[in-house]
Structures are given as C-alpha cells and as structure tokens.
Amino acid sequence: MFDIKAIRENPQYFDDGWARRGLEPQAQRLIDLDKERRIVIARLQDLQSARNEASKKIGKAKGAGDNAAAGALIGEVASLKSEIQNGEIQERELDRALTQALSSLPNIPSPDVPAGKSEDDNVEVRRHGEKPAFDFSPKEHFDLGQALGLMDFEGAAKLSGARFVVLSGALARMERALAAFMLDIHTTEFGYVEIAPPLLVQESTMFGTGQLPKFADDQFRTEDGMWLIPTAEVPLTNLMREKILDAGALPKRLTAYTPCFRLEAGAAGKDTRGMIRQHQFSKVELVSVTRPENSEAEHERLTGCAEEILKRLGLHYRVMTLCTGDLGFSAHKTYDLEVWLPGQDRFREISSCSLCGDFQARRMGARYRPNDEKKARYVHTLNGSGLAVGRTLVALLENYQNKDGSIDVPRALQPYMGGQTKIEGSHAIT
C-alpha cells in the first residue's frame, strides 16, 4: 500500500508508474479523497476544542451561581458531542475509502521493467542448457504418469473434483524427494532458514502480502474467515509483520515446503489436463527481507538460487524479465524461470522471483532501524519459488522419459530416491 503523503508530494511519479501498467491516472482521485478526510479531521479537532472549552465554562458558571448560563453551556456541549460523533463516523468512512483505494492499486514497476501488454512482450535474459534429443515423439507428463500407473486424475476427481491428482509409488516418492533435495540445497548452501508455517492464515496476513482485497476470488476461504495459503510467501513474509528489525540482522532469508491452494478462478479452459495448473500443489518458497540499498542485488541472488536447482537436475530453462503488462500485483520487478517441456514442445513457468520493494512492508508495518538513526525505515521484501515441486516433477517426467515409457532419475536426485535410477511401470491404485 502506498503513502498518501508521497502521492501528494509527487503525483506524476505515481501516475506515470500506474500508466505503465495500463491504468488511468489515480493520484488526483486519491489526493481529493485525502483532502476531504483531512478537512473532516481538522473540523473534529475544532469541535473537540470547543467542547473542552465549553465544559470548563460550565463549572465556572455553576460556581458563580449562573444556572441559566450553565444550562445553555450544557446544551452546547451536547450539541457539540453529537456533531463530533457524526464527524467521527464520517472520518472512519473516509479512512476506509482511502485505505481501500490505496490497497487496490498495484506496485510501481521498476524503470528497467520492459513495456508490454502480455506475456508475449516478456524479454529473455538468458538460457541454460540444451533441449534433450529424442529418437521418438516425446509424450506429455500425464500420459507418461498414467501409463506408469502412478498418476491418477480420475481417482482424484472422485475425491475432490477437477484439478487434483493422486500420485503413488515412485512418483509420490519423487515429489517428496524433490522437496527434500531443494530444501537441503537452500538451507545448507544458500543460507536460508527452514520454516514450517501454518497453512491457514488470517485476513490481515493475506492483506499484508497483497492477496487481499484484490484477489479474494482466487483464494480458498473457510467458513470461519480463515484463508488457505496460495503460497508460503504469505506466512513467511508476514513473520516480519509489525516488527522493527536491527539493521545488522538483515538480510533475513527463509524457506518453506508447503502445499498451496488456489481456486484458479481465471483459468477456465487453461491446462485442464495434467498437473500444470491445479487447486492444490506443492512448492518450496524462498523469501528474503533486506535493506533497500541491497534489494536489487538480493533479487539477482535469489533468482540464482532457484536457477541452481534446475542446473543440478540437468533441465534446460530460460530466464525472462516480465513486462509491465504481465507483472504481478505486488511486484516491482520479476524474473520468471521457464523450463523446457518436450511433451508440450514449449517453455513453461516453474518459478517467479519478485522484488517487491517496500510495497508489502508498508502493508505489514515491517521496518528496520538503520545504524545510528532514530527513525525506522521500511524493509524491502522479495520472494520466489525454489521451485514449484509439482512442475519440477512434470519437467523430470518429460525430459527424462524413455521410448518404453520409463523415466530415468537424475543423478542429483538418486540419493533421495534410495538409489533408484529408473521409474518403471507399477500397479495402479485400486
């Protein structure tokens, strides 16, 4: 959420930033709403001063035996009290309207984010590895998994409906192995602290990272008002909520492996088969909290940590800078990692690594105290998948498939699979 004072001082900067996202000018509307709110606040202060002054006069009038004057003053205080109550209601309504308006607007893009309207305008930064060569027509992951008898969409549909899957045997183990493999690298080599966070969070927690109020329709909500997390970014980042951190304690680097839940409300007709877009999926998340002057370097570092997982698994991928039209709501700048899927004959996103600046920190009240300074400042937050476990499983199935339908296990993952080197057909769950 934005600082209305900063918008008043430099409205053109904000309008230019929102214009790059395709939005109409917003600053003047916000300034006018804030002006109306401040007029009400000033009026309330005057009324409260008048009431206090009248209250003092009542005592003096009674002391002087002037009951008529005291009675008139009592009536004046009652009238002022009613005006104050009405004014306080108006102030709360204007406060709510301004907060809602500010919280519904997306982050300002970094100056080096390319202009564009959709993912077609994203810009490739680099790519790693080569496409695998096959002497047969490679299959998609769902055909491979079902033929192995280890991936069951029909069974999942009976349990939960569309966009769910049941994995069994070696594929269930591979999903677990991938999570352990990722966590071990991120914690032992890259300095991330592993966290086991709650999967249910309060509305204020979802607000803090920008999922609410704008994206309520894409979230799962319980009847008692709790929310299932769409990503571990939500609880991890909010661990800094309403804190003032010591500058020396930064950066904070956290990671977690969790299930994630999304309604995929806007995904009708997209990726209806397979594991690419599901209501429940697993992910290893990376979150960094830094001082502002270090956040750009941290963005490159975090992206590199996610890339290293792909490199060790021997997967071909590319890094894309998202354009203004494809940038996420809370993001100041984002790199997408896209892995090559031979069965689909295309790159698909497997991680988004975003620098959010102080956008989330303002919503959460997350600050730090610079050395030798009294005033606390807002931290910068970053997040990225390190990686999406289900999509990594998809990538391994398609890239390591054999003509007979078996799947080779990448060397880096074999220790986590009990030394297993190949996944072959098994009995389906019955």
Side-chain angles (χ1 to χ4, degrees):
M1 196 168 68
F2 300 99
D3 181 0
I4 187 60
K5 181 181 177 182
I7 295 174
R8 288 201 308 265
E9 292 174 348
N10 193 358
Q12 195 61 50
Y13 166 78
F14 289 92
D15 276 342
D16 288 347
W18 288 320
R20 295 186 66 208
R21 284 182 173 264
L23 298 179
E24 296 294 324
Q26 303 288 328
Q28 193 58 53
R29 173 176 69 93
L30 298 169
I31 291 169
D32 290 344
L33 188 57
D34 179 56
K35 182 179 179 180
E36 184 179 359
R37 181 183 67 92
R38 288 187 294 124
I39 288 172
V40 170
I41 291 172
R43 172 62 177 160
L44 275 173
Q45 291 173 342
D46 291 342
L47 289 170
Q48 287 164 350
S49 295
R51 183 183 64 178
N52 293 340
E53 187 64 28
S55 296
K56 292 177 184 177
K57 291 179 180 179
I58 290 172
K60 292 180 180 179
K62 287 183 175 180
D66 191 344
N67 292 331
L73 288 166
I74 290 171
E76 181 182 344
V77 167
S79 178
L80 288 168
K81 181 180 179 181
S82 178
E83 284 191 68
I84 289 170
Q85 289 174 339
N86 291 334
E88 287 173 342
I89 293 171
Q90 188 178 6
E91 181 192 3
R92 285 195 295 271
E93 290 174 348
L94 290 168
D95 268 337
R96 191 180 302 112
L98 182 59
T99 297
Q100 184 174 7
L102 289 169
S103 63
S104 66
L105 290 166
N107 203 351
I108 301 297
S110 172
D112 62 344
V113 170
K117 295 183 179 180
S118 71
E119 63 181 17
D120 296 330
D121 300 313
N122 295 340
V123 176
E124 183 173 329
V125 179
R126 59 184 172 271
R127 62 176 63 192
H128 175 84
E130 301 291 337
K131 298 177 183 178
F134 298 96
D135 59 1
F136 59 92
S137 179
K139 297 179 180 179
E140 293 196 54
H141 69 280
F142 45 81
D143 288 329
L144 292 162
Q146 288 173 318
L148 288 168
L150 304 175
M151 186 179 290
D152 185 3
F153 294 100
E154 290 185 6
K158 291 178 181 178
L159 298 174
S160 307
R163 296 192 187 276
F164 290 93
V165 66
V166 173
L167 299 178
S168 60
L171 290 191
R173 183 172 188 175
M174 181 175 274
E175 184 178 54
R176 174 166 52 91
L178 279 168
F181 168 70
M182 294 174 190
L183 287 171
D184 282 352
I185 291 174
H186 293 314
T187 56
T188 64
E189 298 186 30
F190 299 146
Y192 287 86
V193 176
E194 184 176 355
I195 303 293
L199 304 182
L200 283 166
V201 296
Q202 299 177 15
E203 183 171 313
S204 58
T205 307
M206 294 282 279
F207 177 87
T209 43
Q211 278 74 25
L212 295 179
K214 189 173 179 63
F215 301 105
D217 291 342
D218 202 33
Q219 315 300 332
F220 283 99
R221 185 184 183 187
T222 66
E223 291 185 354
D224 61 355
M226 299 287 281
W227 300 78
L228 282 165
I229 62 169
T231 164
E233 167 203 344
V234 175
L236 292 184
T237 310
N238 274 277
L239 287 174
M240 308 302 148
R241 182 182 185 84
E242 297 175 359
K243 288 185 178 180
I244 299 179
L245 304 168
D246 291 332
L250 299 176
K252 296 279 189 182
R253 296 182 178 125
L254 309 176
T255 185
Y257 167 58
T258 66
C260 304
F261 306 89
R262 296 180 188 174
L263 277 170
E264 297 292 352
K270 297 180 181 178
D271 299 305
T272 53
R273 296 188 68 191
M275 293 178 58
I276 292 293
R277 197 182 299 273
Q278 297 192 296
H279 292 312
Q280 177 185 321
F281 57 97
S282 57
K283 188 152 64 81
V284 171
E285 187 73 3
L286 305 175
V287 163
S288 294
V289 180
T290 74
R291 287 178 285 182
E293 63 268 24
N294 298 331
S295 62
E296 290 186 5
E298 185 69 16
H299 190 205
E300 301 297 328
R301 183 189 188 277
L302 183 148
T303 304
C305 292
E307 286 185 73
E308 186 61 27
I309 302 298
L310 291 168
K311 290 177 181 177
R312 297 195 189 186
L313 292 172
L315 294 169
H316 176 45
Y317 70 90
R318 66 182 183 181
V319 181
M320 307 291 289
T321 301
L322 298 196
C323 71
T324 51
D326 200 29
L327 199 63
F329 179 79
S330 297
H332 183 55
K333 182 179 180 178
T334 296
Y335 293 126
D336 264 10
L337 306 187
E338 296 182 348
V339 69
W340 178 254
L341 297 184
Q344 293 192 21
D345 194 33
R346 60 182 290 202
F347 286 102
R348 295 302 301 263
E349 178 211 330
I350 198 166
S351 173
S352 285
C353 300
S354 297
L355 165 60
C356 299
D358 65 3
F359 184 82
Q360 293 178 327
R362 289 183 177 278
R363 298 169 79 101
M364 296 186 300
R367 296 176 291 169
Y368 77 105
R369 195 177 305 283
N371 296 327
D372 303 322
E373 292 187 25
K374 292 183 178 180
K375 187 176 180 180
R377 299 182 185 180
Y378 288 105
V379 297
H380 279 195
T381 63
L382 305 94
N383 64 80
S385 302
L387 302 161
V389 177
R391 292 195 178 193
T392 307
L393 177 64
V394 167
L396 294 184
L397 289 174
E398 295 198 12
N399 282 274
Y400 283 89
Q401 62 180 292
N402 298 306
K403 191 173 183 178
D404 64 1
S406 64
I407 311 296
D408 291 332
V409 178
R411 182 172 298 177
L413 203 60
Q414 289 174 14
Y416 294 87
M417 295 284 291
Q420 186 173 355
T421 61
K422 183 176 288 189
I423 297 175
E424 299 179 284
S426 179
H427 296 292
I429 297 174
T430 56

